[in-house]
Amino acid sequence: MHSEVVASRSADQRDSSRESRNGNSPQLDAVSLAIIQQLQEDGRRPYAAIGKAVGLSEAAVRQRVQKLLDQGVMQIVAVTDPLTVGFRRQAMVGINVEGDVESIADALTDMSEVEYVVMTAGSFDILAEIVCEDDDHLLDVINKRIRALPGVRSTESFVYLKLKKQTYMWGTR
Amino acid sequence: MHSEVVASRSADQRDSSRESRNGNSPQLDAVSLAIIQQLQEDGRRPYAAIGKAVGLSEAAVRQRVQKLLDQGVMQIVAVTDPLTVGFRRQAMVGINVEGDVESIADALTDMSEVEYVVMTAGSFDILAEIVCEDDDHLLDVINKRIRALPGVRSTESFVYLKLKKQTYMWGTR
DNA sequence: ACGCGACCTTGCGGATTTCGCAGATCCGAT
DNA sequence: ATCGGATCTGCGAAATCCGCAAGGTCGCGT
């Protein structure tokens, strides 16, 4: 009874201790992946339901989720389109840097208006997404704060006109 | 008694029966805003706790959250760094279009590998974020699928090297 | 071979939370 | 003045969460 799936979570994705986050290597197995998928569909889904879906007991799911949360591998949050929540100006800013890219990225990370920072290959070294209340605010962040950082060679802004898609469903496909 | 906040949720969010998401502004009142903030901190926070924080009964919070969810104003989901979850190649693609920008954006929206689509002002008409398993996959999506769309004049890719920040905390600042 | 640690399972109450529904209220529209 | 819709509050009942305890299994290092 109860057997069903289970899929013998053997000792598969062992080794390969590479790191992806900013330092540690969480190393997820297939079951945790499945749990995350469940929670990507509905962050409030009960543990028992998740357990049934991935072939684990309620208690086990609870422990796994807690650990994933504690490790910072995943977070369960509400997401919205900022435009509907009163932030009327958003922009993606492409930045070119001379010198240490990482330190500039860190400086951007510390700004509360900056939602998203990623280091890239291509004609920009960094892409940063900015969320502001209005034009003045946006202008201020870009010109006074970002361009003022030592090492920033140039920036190019892309003001958001309309958000068309925003998903959190990889793996679900 | 019990007053506290409440802030007289006047008769604002009239209509809104329409598909929010895009062009319009559902107009959230202060209470819904506060609820969203609570859920941005913890997507699983109990309704009673939220109610206490925003000055509403448990049932009222539940109804509001349900409506926000139904309207598509907000979603409660698990988020992770895709790199941690096995998607090893990501990129932002800037796209220039001739003709109807919106229809191209819609086409992008239909691709499962595309996580994020936004229409912008600036030297790109559209920015799209792509999440793939490996280089072949990424190459395939960009060259075979995106560039193949009629109306796409040119694209420029920014392959992600390292994600530095990813937040969901507007309003909480 | 043995012990240890990591992880799962089953089972179990009690505390909490969720959920549905009936009864107020408020407010604008007829 | 009154009707109707939207929203809030107040309940029980059902479901979920949470901690905990007693095993079981597997892989690994000594």
Side-chain angles (χ1 to χ4, degrees):
Chain A
M1 64 295 278
H2 183 256
S3 51
E4 310 235 43
V5 188
V6 182
S8 74
R9 89 195 86 9
S10 53
D12 19 7
Q13 47 267 82
R14 241 311 89 56
D15 63 300
S16 76
S17 58
R18 192 205 296 65
E19 69 187 77
S20 47
R21 233 316 189 250
N22 290 337
N24 46 22
S25 54
Q27 219 43 292
L28 307 178
D29 66 10
V31 181
S32 290
L33 241 296
I35 291 175
I36 292 175
Q37 280 181 221
Q38 292 290 316
L39 290 170
Q40 280 175 338
E41 289 172 21
D42 175 4
R44 274 178 171 260
R45 183 161 302 169
Y47 296 134
I50 297 173
K52 207 157 307 182
V54 307
L56 235 54
S57 68
E58 177 268 342
V61 172
R62 202 188 330 140
Q63 292 165 184
R64 289 232 189 193
V65 170
Q66 196 51 56
K67 189 190 297 185
L68 289 171
L69 256 21
D70 290 342
Q71 289 177 165
V73 172
M74 138 187 113
Q75 39 184 334
I76 299 176
V77 296
V79 296
T80 68
D81 173 356
L83 290 173
T84 72
V85 193
F87 290 90
R88 313 202 288 185
R89 285 295 177 270
Q90 284 177 266
M92 185 69 77
V93 180
I95 302 173
N96 280 304
V97 172
E98 59 190 353
D100 185 19
V101 180
E102 192 119 20
S103 66
I104 298 289
D106 287 333
L108 291 167
T109 295
D110 291 338
M111 301 182 186
S112 65
E113 293 89 348
V114 176
E115 265 284 305
Y116 194 73
V117 177
V118 60
M119 294 166 55
T120 64
S123 61
F124 292 126
D125 296 313
I126 297 175
L127 286 176
E129 188 184 56
I130 312 216
V131 177
C132 290
E133 328 239 345
D134 53 44
D135 290 313
D136 288 338
H137 191 188
L138 180 58
L139 208 56
D140 188 73
V141 172
I142 295 175
N143 289 333
K144 304 273 176 54
R145 313 235 258 119
I146 294 181
R147 285 196 167 132
L149 292 174
V152 170
R153 193 197 303 273
S154 66
T155 69
E156 181 169 355
S157 304
F158 305 93
V159 174
Y160 285 16
L161 299 177
K162 185 179 203 175
L163 181 61
K164 297 288 293 186
K165 182 181 189 179
Q166 185 188 30
T167 326
Y168 305 92
M169 292 275 185
W170 356 271
T172 310
R173 55 195 193 216
Chain B
M1 64 297 277
H2 184 253
S3 51
E4 312 234 280
V5 187
V6 183
S8 77
R9 83 196 87 16
S10 51
D12 21 16
Q13 61 260 74
R14 238 320 69 71
D15 65 290
S16 75
S17 52
R18 178 201 321 32
E19 266 289 62
S20 60
R21 204 91 218 107
N22 292 333
N24 49 24
S25 51
Q27 213 46 316
L28 308 177
D29 66 15
V31 181
S32 290
L33 241 296
I35 292 175
I36 292 176
Q37 280 181 222
Q38 292 289 317
L39 290 170
Q40 281 175 339
E41 288 173 20
D42 175 6
R44 272 178 171 260
R45 184 162 300 170
Y47 296 133
I50 297 173
K52 206 157 307 180
V54 306
L56 234 55
S57 69
E58 174 271 334
V61 173
R62 190 178 355 125
Q63 295 169 57
R64 289 230 187 196
V65 169
Q66 195 52 56
K67 186 190 291 187
L68 290 171
L69 255 20
D70 291 341
Q71 288 177 167
V73 173
M74 138 187 115
Q75 41 184 331
I76 300 176
V77 297
V79 296
T80 68
D81 172 358
L83 290 174
T84 308
V85 194
F87 290 91
R88 317 208 279 188
R89 283 295 177 268
Q90 284 178 265
M92 185 69 78
V93 180
I95 302 172
N96 279 305
V97 172
E98 57 191 353
D100 186 17
V101 180
E102 191 119 21
S103 66
I104 298 289
D106 287 334
L108 291 168
T109 295
D110 292 338
M111 301 182 187
S112 65
E113 293 89 347
V114 176
E115 266 282 304
Y116 195 72
V117 176
V118 60
M119 293 166 54
T120 63
S123 61
F124 292 125
D125 297 313
I126 296 174
L127 286 176
E129 186 183 59
I130 312 213
V131 177
C132 290
E133 328 239 345
D134 53 43
D135 290 312
D136 288 339
H137 191 189
L138 180 59
L139 207 56
D140 188 73
V141 171
I142 294 175
N143 288 334
K144 303 273 176 55
R145 312 235 259 121
I146 295 181
R147 285 198 167 131
L149 292 174
V152 169
R153 193 198 302 272
S154 66
T155 69
E156 182 169 355
S157 305
F158 304 93
V159 174
Y160 286 15
L161 299 178
K162 184 173 196 175
L163 181 61
K164 295 289 292 186
K165 182 181 189 180
Q166 184 187 32
T167 325
Y168 305 91
M169 291 276 183
W170 338 277
T172 310
R173 60 196 193 211

